[in-house]
Amino acid sequence: MQSPNPISLSSLTSILTALEVCSDESVYAPGYIQPHGMLLMLQEPQLTILQISENVEQFFGISAEALLGQPLQRLFSRPQVQRLAGYLAEDNLEFCNPFELKTRRVAQTDGQRKSQTFTGVMYRIVDGLIVELEPVRSLKSISSIQFYHRLQGAIANFRNATSLTNLAQTLAREVKAMIGFDRVMIYRFQADDSGVVIAEEKQSHLESYLGLHYLAIDIPAPARKLFCRKWVRFIPDINYIPVFLIPANHPLTDTPLDLSDSMLRGVSHFHIEYLQNMGVAGSMSISLLNDKRLWGLITCHHYSPKLVDYETRKACEFLGQFASIELVHQQERELDVYRTQVKGIQDELQQTLLQESNFIEQVLIRNTSQLLSLVHAQGAAILLDGHLTLVGQTPSATQVQELVTWLVQRKGEQVFATDFLSHLYPEAEAFKDQASGILAISILFNHAKQKSYHIIWFRPEQIQTVNWAGNPQDTITINEIGEMQLSPRKSFAMWKETVRETSLPWEVAEVEAATEMRNTLMLAVLEFSQIALEQAAEQAAIANCAKSQFLAKMSHELRTPLNAILGFTQLMNRNDKISSEFQEDLGIISRSGEYLLTLINDVLEMSKIEAGQLHLTENSFDLHQLIHSITDMVALQALEKKIDLIAQQHPSVPRYVYGDESKLRQIILNLLSNAIKFTTTGSVTMRLQALNGRVDSISTDDSKSIITLHLEVEDTGCGIAQSDIEAVFQAFTQTESGRQAKGTGLGLSISRQFARLMGGDITARSILNHQSTFICEVLLTLVNSVDVIVPETTGAVIGLEPGQPSYRILVAEDVKENRLLLVRLLELVGFEVCAVENGKEAIALWSEWHPHLILMDIQMPVMDGYESTQQIRGMEGGKEVVIIAVTAYAFEEDYTTSIQAGCNDHITKPFIETILFDKIAHYLGVRYRYREEVLPGLDQQTLLHKSLTAKDLQVMSPEWIIQTHQAALDLNDAKLYNLIAQIPNQEQVLANALKYLVDNFELEAIATLTQTQGSVNLESS
């Protein structure tokens, strides 16, 4: 049936939300409890009664007023009170619950003194200790073993469920068998907080509620928060007479007593009237949670009062906790099957598209069936650089062009999905039969004359009938002065709503498939752009833009798993119990990961240089200390090769300077490392001096002295042919000797760009097969020592200093491995941590949990980190929380964008533990405990070395030596490991020596060793 003057459901939802705020009662502190127990609020440590429920007189014959200010011993014997006091030393009082207390009271009938036993629980609140007591009304109780068998059978049935629906029905059946209520329903929350009954077990004569929908207002926001906090809500008799607290307010704070964790907490009159209108007399609800978010409820109704003992309620709570896990797992299993089907189509389409990147449009048109099946759409529009192609059921070409203009103007989202397009874009009502829902991917090149590429999938209107439990409009009534107000519905008869202009919703896996399709299209466009570059200069901008986006994407995709690899390596290294063998393996993983990170960083630096986005990041620093730390870093490399490392520093070199310390460090480290790498015997000499001092006057009060730091690195290595000297500075270019060593050929090119950015240059002179000298000059500014901040040197963080508050940190990260890494690392130190998978979940959990700090990933499904940060900042209290972006995007503009979005700071993946903990300490004032570390020195007397020569290899066949030489030239470490495995057991020293060289990427040393009579220095095992 329809109401005569219907309000649209979307408008009704807005009205109800506003009214809920206006009429929100204090469900947390109602000031009264239910009468099936009594409540005492005590002051520690004397356990003095500060507040008590007025029904105490019913049980003890003493008025509530007479007990205020009295010790608990007034009600219970000294041994029992002492036992309770002993419980208070526990960190978690939940471990002490429940407990029994016995007393004597005067019976009302014959005056005989009879013993009364109570089941008690206790928990702490601010400025008090709550004790709740329920009288034991029956001597009959179910034994622990009976509960165990009952739960064991229920769990077995859960695990045999074949679908989410089957599992929910099993859950309803098991709970009904356990508590005996007339009706048990599984109620699942929707995205808009409304709910639907997905399973039901009931007495045969009752009307079915299966499939009925309920408004979000039926379980208002404060109640939903309490369901997240408290697993079970029990109302044995909804027609109870409230038992008020004496006094009404907390005597120390003069505020209503917070009963959020109370089993006896009173119920709002709105909910009581709601249940009465349904004909319910007794009620119990059990929460179903998904990672601290409310997934649904097990709702139990009885049509006469129903008292359930504490033990049975706890068994139901356990059942709800286990069922929560199983429901989420079953949901994921069904989604994985769907994802597998979609991925098969995606892979087929991707392979074809990448093979024929010159003909993107033709490939898509030729594979229309796969393109539509990819996301289960009925039509699609392909708009490539202004050329539009329509396939299947679509709006007209003009309507599609206007829709694309709206999409671009909206925000330019890379992936956009809606199943109610006309709600956002009213013009879509005209073509609702073809496109009530759309899923769109876009690639925009803003620096190439607004060139863009789009694929839009369409779904037609799907007219749906939603069965509501009563007319939603009956929730609103008009009072005597004409104002709208909330009112519990009096009828729950099925009310059908017809939903129009809405398509079938887009599943998560379909949005994921569209995202992957966008990545595939990006690669195809990149390839196409590179080909087109040869034909028209105009296409160069497109290719560069596509390349930058591709590099950013690839950087993100590489850094994300690398963050987990290096992070868990650091985490495992914290364990002192790991054997030395595994510590060696962890070291190899760590070194390999750091080497891969170096290559990624080199490629990114090169892309910044090509894009003209390289900038100086200057600060004051100790130049002498910088030189000393760099020489320490490379000294071990030189020592292992028995090469003399000589540093000659002229007195003119100042100690304190101002400049880009990071880039100078990279220049010097690259020059020294290259020199050592290509030198097998002799020495590497570094000479430094300051030249051309001058004063730049900025004003009469401010002047800066500029010096030119002149650096020379000379080696006695293989040298460079005169024709190759300039080639070594070109990106991705290597000489013949360079190709025999690991690397990308980017190091010198990047270093020269850095030097030029710092006002200098790098040049080289060389004699082939004799020596090479690289000369670097950069400009630096002289500063006073007071300008330099000396960093603190501390060991690894192992915990929090005692006496600090409990800090809550929210981790928003869609990649499971990285999310788990952050959670484990932070919990190991002592933080309280919660984690979510996307920005929408981050907002919801922030609203409920109020963390002190959020570690916000930027690229996440559903809602990214930028959008969620902006929304949190716009909400009440959102400006106080600290938000740090943790992202695998490593460009400087990504840092700027995150700050503009509202983040306080930015950390790049793979993150370093020290940086993460320093950021947290900076913003929260956290104090840590550290493990004291002693850094090993480079004393040659403490290092044992073995001189490995070509003669040592004569135990192996000439063929083996030739294969080893070729594998080293090919940089084929896998083949080298296989060849080393062929070395006899009695020559294990030789095997270990060669394995060490492979582990540390010294493949050029193996190549030299297998073709000459030279020697290689190696740390012995």
Side-chain angles (χ1 to χ4, degrees):
M1 76 185 221
Q2 299 284 351
S3 59
N5 296 302
I7 305 172
S8 70
L9 195 57
S10 59
S11 301
L12 181 63
T13 302
S14 301
I15 294 171
L16 291 176
T17 302
L19 289 176
E20 179 187 0
V21 173
C22 295
S23 64
D24 182 22
E25 296 181 4
S26 180
V27 297
Y28 304 101
Y32 53 87
I33 64 171
Q34 300 178 64
H36 62 280
M38 61 180 175
L39 181 145
L40 300 89
M41 197 275 289
L42 309 175
Q43 185 178 34
E44 299 183 68
Q46 292 83 10
L47 300 183
T48 305
I49 300 173
L50 297 182
Q51 203 170 3
I52 193 167
S53 58
E54 61 183 354
N55 64 343
V56 66
E57 188 170 0
Q58 172 188 341
F59 296 103
F60 293 93
I62 307 173
S63 70
E65 289 81 357
L67 288 170
L68 295 177
Q70 299 295 311
L72 186 61
Q73 196 170 325
R74 179 76 185 275
L75 298 177
F76 300 101
S77 66
R78 179 188 295 272
Q80 292 184 99
V81 174
Q82 288 178 340
R83 175 161 53 90
L84 286 189
Y87 292 160
L88 300 180
E90 293 287 341
D91 292 333
N92 188 348
L93 292 182
E94 186 64 28
F95 295 151
C96 307
N97 295 329
F99 51 83
E100 279 194 356
L101 290 177
K102 292 184 179 181
T103 187
R104 289 186 177 275
R105 66 182 176 90
V106 178
Q108 299 297 318
T109 55
D110 55 8
Q112 297 294 319
R113 298 181 64 84
K114 295 181 180 179
S115 176
Q116 174 68 60
T117 302
F118 294 93
T119 297
V121 297
M122 59 182 174
Y123 53 91
R124 286 190 174 92
I125 61 169
V126 177
D127 297 319
L129 173 74
I130 298 288
V131 175
E132 297 188 57
L133 303 172
E134 293 185 43
V136 177
R137 292 174 169 82
S138 173
L139 297 177
K140 296 181 180 179
S141 62
I142 301 176
S143 67
S144 298
I145 193 65
Q146 286 177 299
F147 270 124
Y148 171 77
H149 286 308
R150 183 175 289 179
L151 291 172
Q152 186 182 45
I155 289 171
N157 290 335
F158 291 167
R159 288 180 168 165
N160 290 331
T162 57
S163 66
L164 189 65
T165 302
N166 180 241
L167 177 58
Q169 191 63 44
T170 302
L171 176 58
R173 184 173 62 252
E174 294 293 340
V175 173
K176 187 176 187 304
M178 183 173 288
I179 63 175
F181 271 55
D182 292 331
R183 186 197 304 271
V184 176
M185 299 172 287
I186 308 303
Y187 180 92
R188 181 177 181 180
F189 287 100
Q190 308 287 73
D192 61 355
D193 292 325
S194 66
V196 60
V197 177
I198 63 171
E200 178 185 56
E201 280 289 321
K202 64 179 183 64
Q203 299 293 353
S204 58
H205 66 278
L206 294 176
E207 175 188 4
S208 176
Y209 289 170
L210 185 63
L212 290 186
H213 289 246
Y214 290 79
L215 291 172
I217 194 64
D218 288 350
I219 305 178
R224 292 195 296 272
K225 290 180 182 179
L226 280 180
F227 279 125
C228 287
R229 180 171 176 171
K230 196 73 176 170
W231 282 90
V232 174
R233 180 69 163 124
F234 178 47
I235 312 171
D237 184 357
I238 69 166
N239 297 308
Y240 71 91
I241 298 174
V243 176
F244 290 91
L245 301 179
I246 306 296
N249 284 349
H250 192 304
L252 300 182
T253 62
D254 195 28
T255 58
L257 187 64
D258 185 356
L259 297 179
S260 300
D261 293 320
S262 172
M263 300 186 301
L264 303 171
R265 175 170 45 84
V267 188
S268 73
H269 73 86
F270 189 95
H271 186 57
I272 290 295
E273 187 178 347
Y274 183 90
L275 291 174
Q276 288 172 339
N277 292 345
M278 293 184 76
V280 174
S283 167
M284 188 166 82
S285 297
I286 306 161
S287 300
L288 296 171
L289 301 181
N290 178 6
D291 196 16
K292 296 189 178 182
R293 292 181 294 107
L294 192 59
W295 186 92
L297 294 172
I298 307 171
T299 303
C300 312
H301 288 168
H302 207 64
Y303 294 92
S304 61
K306 179 80 170 176
L307 192 63
V308 179
D309 60 75
Y310 177 84
E311 289 78 8
T312 302
R313 299 200 309 264
K314 291 301 288 185
C316 289
E317 178 179 328
F318 173 80
L319 208 59
Q321 292 172 349
F322 187 84
S324 295
I325 298 171
E326 286 298 309
L327 284 166
V328 173
H329 283 179
Q330 184 64 42
Q331 190 171 289
E332 281 298 315
R333 284 192 289 269
E334 292 180 6
L335 186 58
D336 285 341
V337 172
Y338 186 72
R339 282 176 174 146
T340 301
Q341 297 171 350
V342 171
K343 189 176 186 304
I345 302 172
Q346 164 71 18
D347 290 344
E348 180 182 352
L349 199 56
Q350 182 183 50
Q351 184 176 6
T352 306
L353 190 58
L354 292 180
Q355 286 175 349
E356 303 180 54
S357 58
N358 287 10
F359 308 99
I360 299 173
E361 185 177 359
Q362 292 91 322
V363 168
L364 293 176
I365 295 172
R366 199 167 62 241
N367 293 273
T368 298
S369 176
Q370 292 94 323
L371 183 64
L372 297 180
S373 298
L374 182 68
V375 296
H376 300 101
Q378 280 68 52
I382 305 166
L383 182 62
L384 305 178
D385 194 15
H387 189 267
L388 176 64
T389 302
L390 302 177
V391 295
Q393 302 174 30
T394 70
S396 68
T398 302
Q399 290 170 330
V400 170
Q401 291 282 8
E402 292 172 349
L403 176 61
V404 170
T405 301
W406 174 78
L407 281 172
V408 173
Q409 291 175 347
R410 174 181 166 81
K411 275 187 181 179
E413 290 107 325
Q414 295 178 351
V415 180
F416 173 81
T418 178
D419 57 2
F420 192 5
L421 180 60
S422 62
H423 179 66
L424 302 173
Y425 180 62
E427 292 83 351
E429 185 178 0
F431 49 83
K432 58 185 175 63
D433 292 338
Q434 295 80 33
S436 284
I438 66 167
L439 174 57
I441 59 174
S442 302
I443 300 173
L444 307 175
F445 298 106
N446 295 327
H447 301 293
K449 295 187 179 180
Q450 296 296 321
K451 290 184 179 294
S452 61
Y453 299 79
H454 308 268
I455 297 179
I456 306 174
W457 289 275
F458 302 108
R459 280 182 179 171
E461 178 184 40
Q462 183 76 25
I463 299 176
Q464 304 174 59
T465 299
V466 178
N467 296 326
W468 291 97
N471 188 338
Q473 298 183 40
D474 291 345
T475 307
I476 299 176
T477 59
I478 306 298
N479 62 18
E480 60 275 6
I481 62 174
E483 293 178 336
M484 286 190 295
Q485 63 182 23
L486 290 177
S487 174
R489 296 194 300 284
K490 294 179 173 55
S491 171
F492 290 85
M494 184 186 297
W495 185 87
K496 295 185 178 183
E497 180 208 9
T498 302
V499 180
R500 299 182 180 277
E501 298 179 25
T502 303
S503 73
L504 291 176
W506 302 99
E507 300 291 341
V508 173
E510 291 167 340
V511 177
E512 291 174 353
T515 303
E516 286 302 313
M517 184 63 196
R518 183 185 182 278
N519 296 336
T520 302
L521 184 61
M522 171 75 80
L523 292 173
V525 169
L526 176 62
E527 182 67 25
F528 173 75
S529 298
Q530 290 176 334
I531 296 173
L533 185 63
E534 301 173 0
Q535 303 172 357
E538 180 185 357
Q539 297 300 315
I542 300 176
N544 285 335
C545 185
K547 180 180 178 182
S548 296
Q549 293 188 34
F550 173 73
L551 286 172
K553 173 68 177 175
M554 289 301 101
S555 167
H556 182 276
E557 295 303 314
L558 290 170
R559 285 173 178 271
T560 297
L562 192 56
N563 183 64
I565 294 169
L566 293 177
F568 277 103
T569 302
Q570 295 176 68
L571 204 58
M572 293 175 69
N573 271 324
R574 287 174 164 269
N575 190 344
D576 297 328
K577 298 180 181 179
I578 293 180
S579 67
S580 59
E581 178 185 356
F582 286 137
Q583 285 178 343
E584 179 184 357
D585 294 340
L586 287 173
I588 294 171
I589 295 172
S590 182
R591 287 192 300 272
S592 301
E594 289 167 357
Y595 174 64
L596 177 58
L597 181 59
T598 300
L599 298 182
I600 296 170
N601 288 337
D602 280 351
V603 173
L604 287 179
E605 289 289 0
M606 208 61 229
S607 68
K608 290 180 184 178
I609 291 170
E610 292 177 355
Q613 297 175 346
L614 201 61
H615 305 288
L616 291 176
T617 305
E618 298 179 301
N619 61 284
S620 299
F621 62 97
D622 187 334
L623 180 57
H624 290 188
Q625 178 61 35
L626 175 66
I627 300 301
H628 179 71
S629 66
I630 294 173
T631 53
D632 272 358
M633 289 172 65
V634 299
L636 187 58
Q637 300 175 35
L639 192 59
E640 289 170 348
K641 298 185 73 171
K642 285 193 174 179
I643 296 170
D644 292 329
L645 179 62
I646 304 167
Q648 300 175 351
Q649 185 171 305
H650 193 272
S652 63
V653 176
R655 179 166 186 174
Y656 301 111
V657 294
Y658 180 86
D660 194 323
E661 181 183 13
S662 175
K663 290 182 175 59
L664 181 59
R665 178 191 301 274
Q666 190 165 338
I667 292 170
I668 300 175
L669 190 58
N670 182 269
L671 294 179
L672 285 174
S673 297
N674 277 353
I676 294 171
K677 180 190 300 184
F678 295 107
T679 301
T680 54
T681 59
S683 63
V684 171
T685 303
M686 176 177 64
R687 305 183 186 91
L688 296 102
Q689 66 179 117
L691 304 173
N692 303 329
R694 72 177 191 267
V695 175
D696 286 353
S697 296
I698 299 175
S699 69
T700 56
D701 298 322
D702 187 11
S703 62
K704 293 184 178 180
S705 297
I706 308 295
I707 60 104
T708 298
L709 180 67
H710 181 87
L711 166 72
E712 292 186 6
V713 176
E714 180 180 294
D715 64 63
T716 57
C718 56
I720 307 169
Q722 198 65 32
S723 58
D724 287 338
I725 285 183
E726 277 305 308
V728 299
F729 292 104
Q730 296 176 13
F732 302 103
T733 301
Q734 294 175 306
T735 62
E736 182 60 32
S737 57
R739 282 189 286 271
Q740 296 182 18
K742 68 181 185 354
T744 59
L746 290 174
L748 283 174
S749 176
I750 293 172
S751 295
R752 170 176 269 189
Q753 295 295 333
F754 284 174
R756 289 176 174 175
L757 191 64
M758 297 176 71
D761 202 353
I762 298 179
T763 56
R765 58 176 182 264
S766 180
I767 301 174
L768 189 61
N769 300 322
H770 182 62
Q771 63 90 27
S772 297
T773 302
F774 284 82
I775 304 99
C776 171
E777 290 187 346
V778 296
L779 298 182
L780 298 171
T781 304
L782 296 177
V783 296
N784 298 321
S785 60
V786 293
D787 296 323
V788 179
I789 300 175
V790 181
E792 283 186 30
T793 56
T794 57
V797 172
I798 59 174
L800 301 177
E801 281 189 10
Q804 301 184 81
S806 177
Y807 292 101
R808 298 184 298 278
I809 297 180
L810 170 60
V811 174
E813 166 65 67
D814 63 313
V815 178
K816 179 180 178 181
E817 293 80 5
N818 289 332
R819 187 168 63 250
L820 180 61
L821 168 63
L822 282 168
V823 170
R824 284 189 181 176
L825 181 61
L826 294 170
E827 286 183 341
L828 188 65
V829 171
F831 293 108
E832 186 178 347
V833 187
C834 281
V836 296
E837 299 179 9
N838 59 61
K840 187 174 182 180
E841 294 177 1
I843 294 171
L845 189 53
W846 171 82
S847 301
E848 299 170 8
W849 194 48
H850 297 295
H852 298 90
L853 182 144
I854 302 175
L855 296 174
M856 182 76 74
D857 188 26
I858 295 304
Q859 180 171 299
M860 294 184 289
V862 183
M863 181 185 293
D864 64 23
Y866 293 138
E867 178 67 22
S868 56
T869 297
Q870 290 170 347
Q871 289 199 23
I872 289 174
R873 293 302 190 206
M875 299 169 71
E876 183 178 355
K879 291 183 170 58
E880 288 73 27
V881 64
V882 177
I883 303 178
I884 299 178
V886 184
T887 174
Y889 289 115
F891 289 100
E892 188 171 341
E893 56 266 27
D894 297 311
Y895 171 83
T896 304
T897 304
S898 64
I899 298 301
Q900 291 173 346
C903 295
N904 299 83
D905 214 323
H906 179 280
I907 297 176
T908 301
K909 299 176 188 174
F911 65 84
I912 299 171
E913 283 185 16
T914 305
I915 294 177
L916 175 66
F917 289 134
D918 285 350
K919 298 281 189 187
I920 295 174
H922 173 73
Y923 288 103
L924 298 184
V926 179
R927 303 186 305 280
Y928 300 114
R929 293 184 295 110
Y930 297 92
R931 178 190 294 119
E932 294 186 1
E933 296 181 352
V934 179
L935 296 177
L938 293 175
D939 184 359
Q940 188 169 356
Q941 299 300 322
T942 64
L943 297 175
L944 298 176
H945 283 76
K946 177 185 182 303
S947 179
L948 188 62
T949 67
K951 185 176 180 181
D952 295 320
L953 300 181
Q954 292 178 3
V955 297
M956 305 303 294
S957 66
E959 181 182 358
W960 182 92
I961 294 175
I962 292 172
Q963 291 180 7
T964 302
H965 178 71
Q966 190 59 47
L969 292 180
D970 295 339
L971 307 181
N972 191 337
D973 55 347
K975 186 174 182 179
L976 284 170
Y977 282 125
N978 290 334
L979 289 166
I980 292 171
Q982 299 174 19
I983 297 176
N985 291 335
Q986 60 268 29
E987 300 296 337
Q988 198 58 43
V989 172
L990 173 62
N992 289 340
L994 291 173
K995 183 175 180 295
Y996 177 88
L997 291 175
V998 179
D999 287 347
N1000 289 274
F1001 309 104
E1002 296 293 340
L1003 304 190
E1004 78 281 0
I1006 297 178
T1008 302
L1009 184 67
T1010 50
Q1011 73 174 2
T1012 69
Q1013 295 299 317
S1015 64
V1016 178
N1017 293 327
L1018 179 69
E1019 183 180 357
S1020 68
S1021 59

